[in-house]
Amino acid sequence: MDKVLHRHPSPPSPGEDRGDRATAAVAATPALVVDRLCRSFGPVRAVVEVSLSMAPGEIIALLGHSGSGKSTLLRLIAGLDRGESGGIVIYGRDVNSPFVPPEARGVGMMFQDYALFPHLTVLANLTFGLNRLPRAEAAERARRALARIGLAGRQADYPHRLSGGEQQRVALARALLPRPKILLMDEPFSNLDRRTRDLVRDETSAVLRESGATAILVTHDPDDAMRMADRIMLMHAGRIAGTGTAEELYHRPASLLAARFFSDFNEIDGVCRHGMVATALGNFAASGLADGVLATVCIRPRDLVLDLSPGAGGLAGRVVSRAFHGDAQLVTVAVDGLSPHLAVEAPLDATPEAGHAVAISVAVKTALVFPAE
C-alpha cells in the first residue's frame, strides 16, 4: 500500500539565532526546574520521571501527539494538578513541597478556548486579573496592551464580536498583563484556520519576544514548535523523547520517532554490515550500529531526483501518480524490490505522466539511518 505523505514545515533557516537569549541567561537562576516529576492516572503513567530546566526569557515547546503527557505536565507546573513524586522549582522557590496553589505560583495560563468572560467587555477581561492595582492604573495598562496587539479601538466590544484571531490576542494580552514569571500556553492556536493560525502565531511570538517572557508552549504541530521555540522537547508516552533546537531536531534527530515529527520520509529497511546499510537505492553509512542490526534508512522526498531519461543511470522506476503541491509536484514512483512506492518531490516543469519510465538518484549524504523499530 502506498505511503500517504502530509505536508510538514520546511527546514529552519541556518541564520536564525532563536537560542541567543537563552544562552546569554544560562548563568542566571533558572526560571524553572522540573526534577523527576511523575503523574499516573490508575494504570496509565501520564508523566514519567520528567526533568527539565529553563533559562529566564526562554521559550520552550512541548511537542507530542495526543496522549503523550504534554498537557498533564503543563498542569503540574501550573499547580492545577499534583504529581506523585518529583520537584518543581520556579525562580528558586520550591512550589511542590509544600504544595503552592496555582494563584500563588506566579504563572499565567492561556488555554486553547481562550477562556474569555463572555459577559465582560474586552477592557474588563484584561483588567480582571489586575485587582491589586488601582482601577485607573489597571485600565491604563490594559489600554496599552490593546494598542500593542492592534486592538486599541475594541476595548468596549464583547468577546463574541471578535474573530478567533482577535480573541486569541486578547487572551494573550490578559495572560501577560499580570507579568507572570512563566507563561504556560496549552494548544493556543488549535482553534484557528491555517491562514489565521500562521498570522496569530507570528504575532504571539513577536509579543513574547518583545516582553522578554519565559514561556512554555504545548502543541502537536511541529510548525508551531519550530517557528516559536528556542528549544523543543519532544514528548512520547509520558517521557521526554528528545530535545534540541529546531535546527538540531530537523537535521540531526536522535531517533526515528523524532525524525518522523519534523519530516515526511521514504523509509527503506535494511541490515547493517560493516558500518553500512545496503539498499536498492544505494549504500548508506550507519555509524554506531552493530553488524546484523536491522536498520531504517530515511530519505526526504526532496532528496530524490527524477530523471526522465531512464537510460541515463540511476534506479529504474515507473510513475504511478502525481499530485500538485504548490511550487512542486509530489510524484509516486514504483520501483521493483521496494515497497511501499517512493515519494519524490519534483519541479513543476519536469513532471512525467503516470506510466512514464524514469530513473531515480538520491543525495546519499542527506539520508538518516536509525535502528529499525
Side-chain angles (χ1 to χ4, degrees):
M1 184 175 180
D2 294 352
K3 181 179 179 182
V4 178
L5 290 168
H6 303 281
R7 298 305 299 268
H8 276 266
S10 299
S13 303
E16 292 178 337
D17 293 320
R18 290 170 294 187
D20 287 351
R21 292 180 306 115
T23 302
V26 72
T29 299
L32 173 70
V33 176
V34 174
D35 181 33
R36 294 172 293 178
L37 197 59
C38 295
R39 179 69 167 105
S40 297
F41 299 96
V44 179
R45 303 182 72 194
V47 174
V48 186
E49 295 281 330
V50 168
S51 296
L52 63 89
S53 180
M54 289 184 70
E58 188 177 18
I59 299 174
I60 282 181
L62 294 177
L63 175 65
H65 296 303
S66 297
S68 61
K70 56 190 188 298
S71 290
T72 300
L73 177 58
L74 204 72
R75 290 176 60 83
L76 293 171
I77 294 170
L80 299 174
D81 194 8
R82 298 193 190 199
E84 290 91 27
S85 61
I88 302 172
V89 177
I90 298 176
Y91 281 96
R93 181 190 182 194
D94 188 339
V95 296
N96 213 41
S97 182
F99 182 81
V100 176
E103 64 274 13
R105 293 193 175 199
V107 299
M109 284 291 297
M110 187 175 167
F111 300 98
Q112 64 182 24
D113 60 359
Y114 315 137
L116 298 178
F117 299 114
H119 62 291
L120 297 181
T121 65
V122 167
L123 186 67
N125 264 281
L126 292 183
T127 58
F128 185 83
L130 302 178
N131 51 355
R132 294 184 180 181
L133 296 177
R135 182 176 299 179
E137 183 180 346
E140 179 57 27
R141 274 201 199 180
R143 280 190 285 268
R144 287 200 302 266
L146 281 174
R148 190 183 306 123
I149 61 173
L151 295 175
R154 310 297 298 274
Q155 65 182 39
D157 286 343
Y158 287 86
H160 73 272
R161 299 192 62 185
L162 305 179
S163 68
E166 290 169 339
Q167 289 183 39
Q168 196 273 352
R169 280 185 274 168
V170 172
L172 173 65
R174 186 179 66 177
L176 287 173
L177 267 174
R179 299 173 183 171
K181 295 176 181 177
I182 302 174
L183 177 62
L184 307 176
M185 300 179 287
D186 193 359
E187 299 279 6
F189 314 117
S190 62
N191 291 334
L192 303 176
D193 62 78
R194 172 53 63 182
R195 184 173 181 179
T196 305
R197 181 190 190 108
D198 291 345
L199 176 64
V200 173
R201 180 189 56 219
D202 292 344
E203 290 175 343
T204 299
S205 181
V207 171
L208 292 177
R209 301 294 180 188
E210 180 186 337
S211 64
T214 303
I216 298 177
L217 167 71
V218 161
T219 182
H220 65 275
D221 188 331
D223 204 29
D224 290 345
M226 294 173 77
R227 292 181 181 273
M228 284 193 65
D230 299 314
R231 232 177 350 133
I232 300 170
M233 292 187 172
L234 181 63
M235 289 199 70
H236 177 70
R239 300 178 184 271
I240 301 294
T243 184
T245 64
E247 292 83 357
E248 289 166 346
L249 291 175
Y250 185 91
H251 293 293
R252 298 179 298 280
S255 67
L256 183 56
L257 171 73
R260 286 171 173 164
F261 255 97
F262 297 98
S263 288
D264 295 314
F265 288 105
N266 296 287
E267 298 182 11
I268 304 169
D269 294 329
V271 179
C272 183
R273 302 291 184 195
H274 308 296
M276 303 291 291
V277 177
T279 74
L281 282 177
N283 298 325
F284 300 87
S287 58
L289 297 186
D291 277 9
V293 169
L294 297 178
T296 299
V297 178
C298 297
I299 304 169
R300 294 182 177 96
R302 66 169 60 94
D303 293 329
L304 291 173
V305 178
L306 278 185
D307 194 321
L308 305 189
S309 304
L315 188 67
R318 176 180 53 83
V319 174
V320 176
S321 64
R322 64 179 187 174
F324 179 71
H325 273 214
D327 55 357
Q329 296 264 13
L330 191 65
V331 183
T332 304
V333 180
V335 175
D336 288 343
L338 281 180
S339 179
H341 300 329
L342 294 176
V344 184
E345 192 173 286
L348 296 176
D349 58 355
T351 308
E353 298 292 338
H356 198 288
V358 295
I360 298 176
S361 56
V362 58
V364 175
K365 291 184 179 180
T366 60
L368 302 172
V369 180
F370 303 100
E373 289 186 346

